[in-house]
Amino acid sequence: MVKANTASQVYFAGMRAGKEGDSKIKKIERLFAAAGFDRLFAPEDLCAVKMHFGERGNDSFLQPVFVRAVTRLIKKTGARPFLTDTNTLYRGERHNAVAHTLLALEHGFSYATVEAPVIIADGLRGHCFTEVPVKLKHFQKLYLANAIVQADGMVLLSHFKGHVLAGFGGALKNLAMGCAPARGKKEQHQANFLVTPEKCTACGQCMAHCPEKAIVWAKNPAGAKKHAAIESQPCIGCGECMAMCKFEAINLDFTSERLAFTERMIEYAYGAAGLHPQKTAYINFLLNITPDCDCIPWSDAPLVPDIGILASRDPVALDKACYDLVNAQVGFADSQLRCNHAAGEDKFKGSYSKSIGEVQFQYAENLGLGRTAYELIQV
């Protein structure tokens, strides 16, 4: 965890390049050294490189060449890196370790490319986890994936982008959802989704994409408009229906659910960050800043231009710096932004009007997970 009453150091490398030494690979090397990551790990340490391999159809996940740059730097310390993620809550391409590993290979994360093995952290079917005791507002214990718990250290590589429920996804969300098995993911969601009948066009897209077949046609009186309805029992709260609906007919109970969801997510982030507090490093990539998570099987147009790569020991300060840099940009007209295109305006609220992503920072700082005050250091 981070010392109180101090500004955390966040290291930043921008996008401009005019010579070989300015390549993104060289910038990753400079960031790794400037942030002191080369002093974190000891010879023979098993180092988890926590990342997202992308969903089939998505192409905005991190490039394997960037990941290879990180594994090579870890190896120089004598540590042994492995790439890892956890299986999904919903029944998609990454619901078990076999399909998940095959998709990682399909997306270029082979040993020949990244020079490290892929190990799915929560086992074959997501049942390999450890109960971690905590004393927090929502949880007294957390469920965290075994390979991450048992590692000696961790480097989190996060693609910073928007998110339909969390507002944005960066290092904090990568810690929370990414280090939890399906059981922990389900605990974090616990969300109630509602269909607004007047907005529903009965297109059926939500039904086609619901991983648990929890959406049915409502039983309406004769002559009433046909619309979808969500059955609470099979619903796992993944939010896929909300992301798919182009008519904004599906939403959370925003009066309570989004706030509680965000707090639960941050409590999981707190638990994951505490596993290896002296040997955890964070790198965020402000590239392809799309409105959606890489779990979505497509990649929408970016909200703003590419900005750069950032690194820190403090995940809160790192995400806050990324959040501020994104909002400082002029948003693209040909994007999901409905408003807030001007520099300084909140791009995540412009993409999702009910976004409360700022709660991530407030609650994480209250828990002592990190600081929102940061010093941005260009390398």
Side-chain angles (χ1 to χ4, degrees):
M1 304 302 174
V2 179
K3 292 180 180 179
N5 300 319
T6 59
S8 294
Q9 294 178 323
V10 177
Y11 298 88
F12 169 66
M15 293 300 299
R16 294 302 306 276
K19 58 183 184 299
E20 181 182 354
D22 290 337
S23 73
K24 294 182 183 69
I25 302 302
K26 293 296 184 183
K27 289 174 180 176
I28 290 171
E29 293 173 358
R30 293 204 299 269
L31 287 165
F32 201 89
F37 297 167
D38 54 348
R39 301 188 297 273
L40 294 184
F41 309 111
E44 305 303 316
D45 275 356
L46 300 180
C47 181
V49 179
K50 172 65 190 72
M51 56 170 300
H52 193 303
F53 300 118
E55 187 57 76
R56 180 171 288 125
N58 181 284
D59 56 30
S60 51
F61 55 87
L62 296 182
Q63 292 186 30
V65 292
F66 298 158
V67 178
R68 181 178 64 213
V70 173
T71 61
R72 285 178 172 176
L73 290 166
I74 294 170
K75 285 181 177 181
K76 285 184 178 180
T77 71
R80 296 183 174 184
F82 63 95
L83 309 190
T84 195
D85 196 6
T86 53
N87 293 311
T88 57
L89 174 61
Y90 55 86
R91 299 182 183 279
E93 297 290 344
R94 295 173 294 119
H95 188 60
N96 64 71
V98 174
H100 202 159
T101 304
L102 289 173
L103 186 59
L105 293 170
E106 181 181 317
H107 283 177
F109 297 98
S110 66
Y111 188 89
T113 303
V114 296
E115 300 179 8
V118 172
I119 299 174
I120 304 304
D122 55 341
L124 187 64
R125 299 183 185 275
H127 297 157
C128 297
F129 55 80
T130 298
E131 293 185 12
V132 177
V134 292
K135 293 182 179 180
L136 300 171
K137 177 180 176 180
H138 296 279
F139 298 116
Q140 295 301 303
K141 62 182 177 182
L142 308 174
Y143 302 99
L144 297 173
N146 275 354
I148 294 172
V149 173
Q150 294 170 9
D152 298 300
M154 180 164 57
V155 176
L156 270 87
L157 306 181
S158 305
H159 170 214
F160 196 89
K161 67 280 178 190
H163 189 270
V164 65
L165 297 182
F168 69 88
L172 293 171
K173 184 175 179 295
N174 196 0
L175 279 168
M177 292 292 174
C179 294
R183 183 169 182 174
K185 290 180 172 73
K186 189 171 185 178
E187 279 200 338
Q188 292 175 67
H189 281 89
Q190 295 180 21
N192 292 322
F193 289 88
L194 306 172
V195 176
T196 302
E198 295 76 17
K199 291 186 176 181
C200 179
T201 65
C203 68
Q205 285 299 303
C206 57
M207 293 181 181
H209 288 85
C210 177
E212 299 299 320
K213 308 302 179 187
I215 305 178
V216 298
W217 296 119
K219 295 180 180 179
N220 293 329
K225 178 185 173 184
K226 182 179 181 180
H227 67 87
I230 300 173
E231 296 185 326
S232 59
Q233 188 57 40
C235 176
I236 57 175
C238 67
E240 188 79 359
C241 57
M242 184 173 164
M244 289 301 306
C245 183
K246 301 303 181 184
F247 306 99
E248 299 184 346
I250 301 176
N251 281 300
L252 278 170
D253 177 2
F254 289 113
T255 58
S256 59
E257 290 295 345
R258 192 179 288 271
L259 175 61
F261 163 80
T262 304
E263 290 181 347
R264 290 192 296 264
M265 186 181 76
I266 294 302
E267 290 188 6
Y268 258 81
Y270 175 88
L275 293 174
H276 316 290
Q278 303 306 314
K279 293 187 176 186
T280 299
Y282 304 91
I283 303 176
N284 280 5
F285 292 78
L286 281 175
L287 312 173
N288 292 318
I289 305 164
T290 55
D292 302 306
C293 178
D294 293 338
C295 294
I296 300 295
W298 69 80
S299 294
D300 197 359
L303 301 175
V304 297
D306 288 351
I307 298 171
I309 307 169
L310 295 88
S312 182
R313 294 292 312 282
D314 181 343
V316 182
L318 179 62
D319 277 2
K320 184 63 165 63
C322 290
Y323 186 85
D324 291 344
L325 285 169
V326 170
N327 288 335
Q329 307 302 308
V330 175
F332 287 136
D334 187 20
S335 72
Q336 186 173 291
L337 286 174
R338 298 172 178 86
C339 60
N340 294 359
H341 291 81
E345 294 182 328
D346 193 316
K347 304 303 181 291
F348 303 102
K349 290 185 187 296
S351 183
Y352 299 108
S353 61
K354 295 184 172 64
S355 167
I356 56 169
E358 63 276 8
V359 173
Q360 291 192 44
F361 306 126
Q362 297 161 4
Y363 195 55
E365 188 167 39
N366 288 343
L367 291 181
L369 178 51
R371 294 280 296 167
T372 55
Y374 62 87
E375 176 188 6
L376 194 64
I377 303 169
Q378 189 152 359
V379 301

